Amino acid sequence: MTTSQEAAELHPAPKVTDSKIARLRLLANDANPKIRESAASSHHTPVKVFEALAKDSDEGVRACVARNEHAPCDVLRMLANDPSETVRGFLAVNFFVPDAAMRTLADDDSATVQRLVRWKRELATA
């Protein structure tokens, strides 16, 4: 059985080109929130685009940024105060969220977000 590491070595991802970045910028500005979600989920989205997507009016787009392990720490910190419990919940389980944001989430008004923070801490220490 091939491991995920071996599979990645056998089938490397294509290089990130200027045209790919340009496409991500276009996707991030699409009228359809599902298309913007794809830009918010990319590992190669530029910082400025992440910043804009983190302020998107659509909760689903912001949730995709919150769970993206490649989103910049400053953007993730900003999402710790998002009005959506769903966004904050996805943020709580992202292993790349800065400690300051996790402290904010630990004191969240939502019991669900607080439970997710505790669950992640327990998982990390298991």
Side-chain angles (χ1 to χ4, degrees), residues 9-126:
E9 290 170 4
L10 289 170
H11 306 285
K15 291 185 178 187
V16 179
T17 61
D18 290 340
S19 64
K20 178 170 180 106
I21 299 301
R23 282 192 306 276
L24 285 168
R25 285 190 171 97
L26 287 173
L27 294 174
N29 288 308
D30 197 274
N32 184 338
K34 294 299 181 189
I35 302 296
R36 295 193 309 275
E37 284 181 15
S38 67
S41 299
S42 175
H43 296 183
H44 306 292
T45 299
V47 172
K48 292 288 185 196
V49 176
F50 269 128
E51 290 169 352
L53 292 169
K55 298 174 188 171
D56 197 279
S57 61
D58 187 84
E59 172 185 78
V61 173
R62 296 190 318 275
C64 286
V65 174
R67 64 180 172 222
N68 189 328
E69 297 174 349
H70 297 277
C73 289
D74 288 341
V75 171
L76 297 175
R77 274 188 212 93
M78 180 177 65
L79 289 173
N81 296 306
D82 193 273
S84 166
E85 177 185 56
T86 301
V87 171
R88 296 188 318 274
F90 276 116
L91 187 65
V93 297
N94 182 334
F95 276 98
F96 295 89
V97 173
D99 288 338
M102 288 306 296
R103 286 191 298 274
T104 299
L105 294 171
D107 294 331
D108 198 276
D109 290 339
S110 165
T112 300
V113 173
Q114 289 179 15
R115 281 193 301 274
L116 289 168
V117 169
R118 283 193 303 273
W119 173 79
K120 185 170 100 174
R121 282 184 183 152
E122 291 169 5
L123 189 64
T125 59

